[in-house]
Amino acid sequence: MERTTAVTVITHTACATRHLTKIYGSTAEQVVAVDDVSVDIARGSFTAIMGPSGSGKSTLMHCMAGLDRPTSGQVLIGDDDLAALPERAVTRVRRDKVGFIFQAFNLLPTLTAEQNIVLPLELAGRRVERSVLDAVVDSLGLGDRLGHRPSQLSGGQQQRVAVARALVTRPEVIFADEPTGALDQKTGTRLLDYLRACARDDGQTIIMVTHDARAAAYADRALMLLDGRIVGDLAQPTAEAVTGFLGAVAA
Amino acid sequence: MFRHAVSELRLHPGRFIATLVAIAISVGFIVAISVFISTEQNGTGKANSMALSTADLVAVAGDEGLSAEAAELIGTVDGVAAVQRVINASAEVTAGDRTVFATLWVNQAPEFRWAELAEGAYPEAPGEITVARDMADKLGVGLGDEVQAGPGQPLTVVGITRDARSLFTSTGYLWQPADEFPAAGAVAILLAEDADPSAVADEVVRAADGVAPGLTVQTAQEYRDAALVATTGDFDVFKNLLLAFAVIAVLVGMITIANTFTILLAQRRRQLGLLRAVGASGSQVMGRMVLESLLLGLAGSLVGVGLGFAVAAAGSAVTGSWYWGLTVDWAEVGLAVLVGVLATLISAVVPSVAAARVRPLEALQAVPTEAQARRAGAVRAVVCGLLIAGGVALAVLSQVGRSEMNLVYAAASGVLLTLGVLGAAPFFVPALLRLAGRLAGPAGPTARLALKNSARNPRRAAATASALMLAIGLIVTLQIALTSARTSAMDTIDRELPLDLSATYESGVPAGTADAVRAVPGVAEVAVLPGKVVEVDGASYFAVDDHAARLDMGVEAEPIPDTVARFDEVGPDTPATFAIGDVELTSETGELYGWRAFGVSAATLDRLPGQMVDAALWVKLTDRTDATAINRAIAALAAEEQPDLSNSGAQMAGILEQVVGVVILIMTALLGVAVLIAVVGVGNTLGLSVLERQRESALLRALGMQRGQLQLMLLIEALALVLVGALVGFAAGIFFAWLGLSAAFAAVPGGTVDLRLAMDPAWTFGLVGVCLAAAALASVLPGRRAAGATPTEALAVD
Ligand SMILES: Nc1ncnc2c1ncn2[C@@H]1O[C@H](COP(=O)(O)OP(=O)(O)OP(=O)(O)O)[C@@H](O)[C@H]1O
Ligand SMILES: [Mg+2]
């Protein structure tokens, strides 16, 4: 029942691609990493991107997040076409409208947990809203760790700091590249629960690249990639459905 | 092994550039000094024996010198083709308001002339002069113009020669009647075609036995060699002084190199670990580091040799010694290369040994563990504490008492404090950077991040900053010490010799002279002193009353008592007491009254017999070091009648001012080399840490930091490091300058000079400004590299 309510809430598009293509290398030995992908990501959705290694998951995500330039096609975040904007403007879009969660946490070692969390706000010259910060920090259970440096935190705590950093700017969309890759199963599960709650309860759009069918089951949509093309789009995926699909494709 | 080392250097040349530059500059400095001084010495020696460059034999006179007759006698000896008495005089040659110091050669016979004529002819009559091209240029004269050489008639320029240029003196040629020069120091001899030099030499000694006792005869070559050796002593002192500066440059270079290798090792721990893992022994890994540093040292040193030769060539072109060709002492050049290689080796191997001792687990961490850091910190704190305590104790000791030991204490204190402060840099440099970070907090995240970054690796930041501290500390010490010594000396001159000129005339100051002098630009004050002409022991004197003039000029002195006559100086022929009419006076030493004049009180002057006249003029200049103003004022004073002049402090002050100015310039330039190396070190540290932080830069870019902000961050990091280094060096420089000067002044017997600390802001702040500018420049490349990080790198997992 929960799931149907969630679907009816989705009304707008948070980000989208139109004929997105990314080609690496010279003309001699080209690799078409992303091949003519057009997809709409609904606001408040939690989307998993899946596929075998080398299928172009990371490349697609980099292009959608404005980390990398597509070879052709459009990338829309809100009203901005990242493929057409100059570098400085793309950087600004990343700063203001996009959040990131990395597999390797990627915190700045010189800053405390709290300073790491508010860094994107500071870079944007925005005021830190104490209530938002407190809510995020409380929900992640980081309250007593704010003064610690990354080297004094466990991997799970570091990843929660990274999640808080992504959430605190209230971005249009959060991109996560294998966020559970460096975590043990229990910690990973808790993180996925949390991300699902963010999407469902706060309407936070999340796009997650993962290898793990069980992780994909937390999402409410799974895009299946093969050789840079979307070959499957499952709504409300389960671990079995995803594994079955991948097995069929690989065969 | 060798191939590995070469490929490491070839694969990552950028990482080693700073090391290369540091070595090249240090070695280049030493080579430049060696070649330049050898060339100067050779040039000076050759210039000194220039007069004999055309001779075959030289007869050097005994104590009494050689008369013209003796020379003629030598000329009649069998086998002697021609003789020339070597006569020269040093003189100031003036034309208009320009002056050149010159050596003037007298009565040269054509066969003994060494310089080609460019224009005109050699002199053939009294009143003619032929000058070297550079003198003509400096004086701005040409053929037919008049110049003045010493007192006497002006001389007409009749020729211009192509002579060797020299920085300090020039060359000219005169013709004077031989009897004006009764004794010459030497005679140059030309031999007949197939004469045997040694036989002729013996014959000359025999012939001259009666007329020139003590005559010795050498071949001209022997004489020139001896002249060259004679100059060596002077140049060695100079060379050693310069080498002291080179040592400082090498030290700073070593700090930079050691820092580079420490950072590189930290970055290459994995690579080295991999080498170990695939079976390389510890000593093989060490051997590779040694080989790398040897190659690097050699390459840098060779570049340095080229650099040194270029600088020496440029320098000798400026001084004119280039004319004689570059002289190279290859042993010294080889030694410089050896120093470069050894310095690199030592600075590279020390960190590698430290790295080799690290346990495997610790080797995986980029920063030392806390326990490790604390242990090292405690030892360091104790050692530095002891050094600083010792330094402070010696500093206190140098300030009590007044003996020559004060200077020794001060010097020892300086050494201990320098070591202590540099050693303690890892404690206070990060603290200062953090403080700067706190101050810069409101300036936004870029500045805050930058300062956090610069303090994140305390050892590295400290080593980088301390190279700069050392260099700037030394420069500021020397600058402030010299400027303060100058100011203190000028103060003393001002106090003790308050006037610039005083003039008395045979029969009173000619009318209009006072006003003429007043009109001279640069003259601040002219006072006319009333006085009377009186007779003392049959000689005529001026008795003057200077009370009003003293008030006018702000010259302080106790009023003269009614029974005292104050002389410039009470000499042996000045009567201790004397009477004029019914006035009894006692002589006393005063100042500034000039020849045949003395000061008395106004009441005494009234009682003396005779007419009141304008007895003397006192002149005070706006800027007493202004030589042109002095010369103009003297000319105005002498316009009507030649006065008797007392020239007090002005000239002395002028010379002091000039000398100190030149010395400060030279010292700054020499130590500037060390600063240059230190700034290269800053760029290097920055560049290497940017390599390390590539991923962080990518992350910041992913999080929305603009390229420019990232570059700005690097710039602030560089500025912070330099500023901390410069400020500490600056503070230390002021302290050491004070310490040294107060100890030195206390050691002066009588202690008449008051110490006044002074600074030439243009020099000192200019230096700091240049350092900051250089640091900004040094951050450009690392900044570009950091900004070039693509944001996707942050997501890559390695
Ligand atoms: N910088 C690059 N230059 C050239 N080729 C690249 C580059 N980055 C990725 N590729 C190629 O593009 C294709 C897609 O790579 P991508 O990293 O997107 O795959 P992925 O699905 O994320 O794989 P994995 O699951 O292993 O992370 C691969 O064939 C890869 O070799
Ligand atoms: Mg990937």
Side-chain angles (χ1 to χ4, degrees):
Chain A
M1 284 302 106
E2 273 172 47
R3 284 181 186 173
T4 40
T5 27
V7 171
T8 51
V9 170
I10 296 165
T11 44
H12 300 290
T13 304
C15 70
T17 65
R18 298 279 175 266
H19 307 291
L20 174 65
T21 302
K22 174 73 185 182
I23 300 171
Y24 283 117
S26 58
T27 37
E29 33 184 307
Q30 283 185 346
V31 179
V32 183
V34 176
D35 191 0
D36 194 29
V37 169
S38 297
V39 65
D40 281 58
I41 305 293
R43 178 159 296 154
S45 68
F46 183 6
T47 308
I49 301 179
M50 296 214 53
S53 191
S55 57
K57 304 184 292 294
S58 297
T59 308
L60 175 62
M61 190 194 106
H62 291 167
C63 291
M64 291 179 77
L67 291 172
D68 209 348
R69 291 254 163 202
T71 308
S72 64
Q74 288 179 305
V75 175
L76 304 166
I77 289 186
D79 303 324
D80 298 311
D81 178 4
L82 296 192
L85 288 177
E87 164 63 28
R88 286 182 66 81
V90 173
T91 304
R92 218 171 303 125
V93 170
R94 275 206 306 273
R95 193 184 70 189
D96 298 335
K97 296 193 177 169
V98 176
F100 292 102
I101 303 169
F102 307 100
Q103 178 178 352
F105 318 145
N106 278 339
L107 302 178
L108 285 181
T110 49
L111 303 183
T112 62
E114 176 169 357
Q115 289 169 333
N116 262 294
I117 294 171
V118 299
L119 181 62
L121 291 176
E122 292 204 320
L123 288 177
R126 276 156 68 183
R127 222 168 46 78
V128 178
E129 279 177 52
R130 202 68 225 182
S131 58
V132 176
L133 179 63
D134 286 343
V136 170
V137 165
D138 282 345
S139 66
L140 284 161
L142 285 170
D144 53 344
R145 290 278 181 264
L146 288 180
H148 290 56
R149 283 177 207 285
S151 58
Q152 301 164 319
L153 297 173
S154 75
Q157 288 164 341
Q158 288 187 53
Q159 192 60 305
R160 276 184 278 153
V161 171
V163 172
R165 180 178 66 192
L167 286 171
V168 80
T169 58
R170 299 250 163 254
E172 194 84 19
V173 50
I174 289 180
F175 292 94
D177 196 352
E178 313 221 11
T180 56
L183 302 177
D184 66 39
Q185 176 136 24
K186 207 169 116 206
T187 323
T189 308
R190 225 178 295 144
L191 180 69
L192 290 165
D193 267 327
Y194 183 82
L195 292 179
R196 180 168 60 185
C198 284
R200 207 170 277 168
D201 304 341
D202 307 332
Q204 176 65 59
T205 314
I206 300 173
I207 300 174
M208 170 177 77
V209 168
T210 182
H211 267 120
D212 184 354
R214 272 172 307 181
Y218 282 81
D220 39 42
R221 183 182 181 190
L223 295 174
M224 302 303 196
L225 235 60
L226 187 66
D227 295 336
R229 270 191 291 259
I230 293 183
V231 292
D233 187 347
L234 312 182
Q236 312 307 337
T238 59
E240 298 75 46
V242 169
T243 318
F245 189 94
L246 284 177
V249 167
Chain B
M1 190 54 73
F2 184 74
R3 239 183 12 204
H4 272 279
V6 172
S7 72
E8 176 69 29
L9 297 183
R10 276 191 25 208
L11 260 178
H12 302 292
R15 300 187 176 177
F16 296 99
I17 277 181
T19 313
L20 214 64
V21 170
I23 304 164
I25 295 178
S26 308
V27 172
F29 197 14
I30 302 177
V31 170
I33 290 169
S34 164
V35 174
F36 178 67
I37 298 286
S38 297
T39 304
E40 285 303 300
Q41 186 184 330
N42 177 53
T44 309
K46 287 226 172 99
N48 285 351
S49 54
M50 190 158 58
L52 299 157
S53 57
T54 46
D56 295 318
L57 291 180
V58 179
V60 180
D63 296 337
E64 285 165 35
L66 274 162
S67 62
E69 295 75 46
E72 237 166 79
L73 191 66
I74 292 171
T76 61
V77 171
D78 244 7
V80 172
V83 293
Q84 163 82 58
R85 289 205 302 158
V86 179
I87 301 168
N88 62 24
S90 295
E92 276 181 54
V93 182
T94 336
D97 52 2
R98 302 197 202 178
T99 302
V100 168
F101 284 97
T103 305
L104 301 178
W105 302 92
V106 183
N107 297 354
Q108 282 198 319
E111 54 270 54
F112 288 95
R113 290 173 188 156
W114 58 85
E116 256 177 79
L117 276 171
E119 288 175 59
Y122 274 97
E124 282 168 354
E128 293 184 347
I129 186 170
T130 295
V131 299
R133 164 69 66 202
D134 70 317
M135 182 175 356
D137 291 347
K138 280 183 199 154
L139 293 176
V141 296
L143 292 188
D145 289 337
E146 286 197 341
V147 299
Q148 185 81 39
Q153 292 306 305
L155 303 164
T156 308
V157 177
V158 295
I160 293 174
T161 61
R162 281 191 250 274
D163 257 295
R165 233 157 36 76
S166 144
L167 201 55
F168 305 109
T169 69
S170 190
T171 310
Y173 305 89
L174 296 176
W175 196 92
Q176 301 279 318
D179 53 14
E180 283 188 15
F181 303 96
V187 167
I189 300 171
L190 271 182
L191 291 177
E193 283 269 317
D194 36 81
D196 169 31
S198 58
V200 175
D202 292 344
E203 195 56 39
V204 166
V205 173
R206 204 165 321 120
D209 199 21
V211 285
L215 187 85
T216 53
V217 181
Q218 297 170 294
T219 66
Q221 187 59 46
E222 280 167 356
Y223 184 88
R224 286 194 289 267
D225 291 346
L228 212 56
V229 172
T231 57
T232 316
D234 305 342
F235 278 93
D236 278 353
V237 174
F238 197 48
K239 185 188 269 182
N240 291 339
L241 198 73
L242 289 174
L243 284 178
F245 286 102
V247 167
I248 292 162
V250 170
L251 275 181
V252 173
M254 282 178 78
I255 296 180
T256 301
I257 297 167
N259 206 17
T260 308
F261 272 86
T262 311
I263 300 172
L264 286 180
L265 273 169
Q267 290 175 352
R268 283 167 59 188
R269 270 197 178 139
R270 276 202 180 160
Q271 193 196 346
L272 295 179
L274 196 68
L275 271 180
R276 292 295 302 275
V278 299
S281 72
S283 61
Q284 270 177 314
V285 170
M286 260 307 277
R288 198 178 137 171
M289 300 300 301
V290 168
L291 207 56
E292 264 179 45
S293 60
L294 276 179
L295 284 176
L296 206 60
L298 198 62
S301 298
L302 291 181
V303 173
V305 170
L307 201 68
F309 269 81
V311 171
S316 59
V318 171
T319 61
S321 301
W322 181 248
Y323 180 91
W324 307 103
L326 276 191
T327 311
V328 182
D329 182 341
W330 288 106
E332 281 181 7
V333 172
L335 209 62
V337 171
L338 194 68
V339 166
V341 173
L342 282 182
T344 319
L345 189 66
I346 293 168
S347 343
V349 165
V350 169
S352 345
V353 171
R357 275 209 311 262
V358 175
R359 269 165 283 147
L361 197 67
E362 287 170 319
L364 291 176
Q365 296 154 336
V367 214
T369 62
E370 244 162 74
Q372 225 183 338
R374 215 172 304 129
R375 213 176 325 120
V379 174
R380 186 180 282 267
V382 169
V383 172
C384 293
L386 286 177
L387 283 172
I388 292 175
V392 169
L394 281 169
V396 171
L397 214 54
S398 76
Q399 299 303 310
V400 296
R402 286 178 161 270
S403 76
E404 275 161 26
M405 282 306 284
N406 285 7
L407 260 182
V408 177
Y409 292 143
S413 161
V415 170
L416 290 189
L417 284 177
T418 304
L419 290 177
V421 168
L422 286 182
F427 301 125
F428 64 81
V429 166
L432 285 176
L433 287 170
R434 271 194 292 272
L435 181 70
R438 208 158 307 142
L439 296 180
T446 313
R448 210 159 342 124
L449 274 175
L451 290 157
K452 284 221 157 88
N453 281 335
S454 58
R456 75 155 69 175
N457 209 321
R459 280 280 194 80
R460 200 181 287 178
T464 310
S466 52
L468 207 64
M469 270 180 229
L470 184 61
I472 293 202
L474 280 167
I475 293 195
V476 172
T477 305
L478 283 171
Q479 280 186 354
I480 294 194
L482 285 169
T483 316
S484 302
R486 174 177 59 182
T487 308
S488 306
M490 295 284 270
D491 266 11
T492 307
I493 293 173
D494 281 347
R495 188 155 32 82
E496 308 212 329
L497 303 164
L499 295 179
D500 293 313
L501 291 166
S502 87
T504 52
Y505 296 82
E506 196 73 48
S507 50
V509 180
T513 302
D515 286 332
V517 175
R518 245 177 227 121
V520 169
V523 169
E525 197 94 45
V526 176
V528 182
L529 280 68
K532 289 177 176 173
V533 182
V534 293
E535 291 254 325
V536 178
D537 281 3
S540 103
Y541 278 83
F542 274 115
V544 298
D545 164 26
D546 64 357
H547 191 69
R550 277 180 186 279
L551 288 183
D552 274 358
M553 299 213 151
V555 177
E556 286 181 29
E558 284 170 33
I560 304 177
D562 287 347
T563 55
V564 166
R566 199 171 274 174
F567 286 83
D568 213 5
E569 196 166 334
V570 179
D573 50 350
T574 314
T577 56
F578 56 93
I580 304 164
D582 59 345
V583 185
E584 298 257 340
L585 292 168
T586 311
S587 302
E588 198 178 83
T589 295
E591 54 200 293
L592 277 173
Y593 297 102
W595 176 240
R596 296 253 150 127
F598 57 85
V600 290
S601 69
T604 310
L605 187 62
D606 265 346
R607 289 168 51 209
L608 287 173
Q611 273 249 266
M612 209 59 119
V613 291
D614 288 347
L617 281 182
W618 280 5
V619 181
K620 194 164 185 165
L621 302 174
T622 322
D623 173 5
R624 60 187 334 192
T625 61
D626 182 350
T628 320
I630 297 175
N631 286 336
R632 287 210 189 106
I634 290 176
L637 284 168
E640 294 291 323
E641 184 190 327
Q642 197 65 36
D644 174 31
L645 275 178
S646 282
N647 187 341
S648 69
Q651 220 146 27
M652 205 149 87
I655 292 169
L656 187 72
E657 183 92 54
Q658 277 179 2
V659 168
V660 172
V662 169
V663 171
I664 290 181
L665 178 75
I666 292 176
M667 299 248 180
T668 304
L670 292 177
L671 283 171
V673 173
V675 173
L676 186 66
I677 297 176
V679 172
V680 168
V682 172
N684 183 43
T685 304
L686 220 57
L688 292 175
S689 31
V690 162
L691 284 182
E692 253 173 17
R693 294 187 342 223
Q694 190 74 356
R695 183 171 183 139
E696 255 177 74
S697 306
L699 172 68
L700 286 168
R701 292 278 291 128
L703 291 182
M705 195 180 228
Q706 299 285 6
R707 280 214 175 96
Q709 282 179 298
L710 210 55
Q711 273 166 323
L712 182 65
M713 188 174 91
L714 265 289
L715 172 66
I716 296 173
E717 279 188 58
L719 291 182
L721 271 177
V722 168
L723 210 56
V724 166
L727 283 182
V728 174
F730 195 75
I734 294 177
F735 175 74
F736 286 138
W738 169 80
L739 185 69
L741 279 183
S742 58
F745 282 14
V748 173
T752 50
V753 184
D754 288 337
L755 173 58
R756 279 204 34 203
L757 272 191
M759 174 171 77
D760 200 334
W763 273 117
T764 311
F765 289 122
L767 178 74
V768 176
V770 165
C771 283
L772 289 179
L777 212 62
S779 81
V780 168
L781 277 182
R784 288 179 65 122
R785 188 175 176 111
T790 49
T792 48
E793 283 175 56
L795 296 113
V797 186
D798 55 10

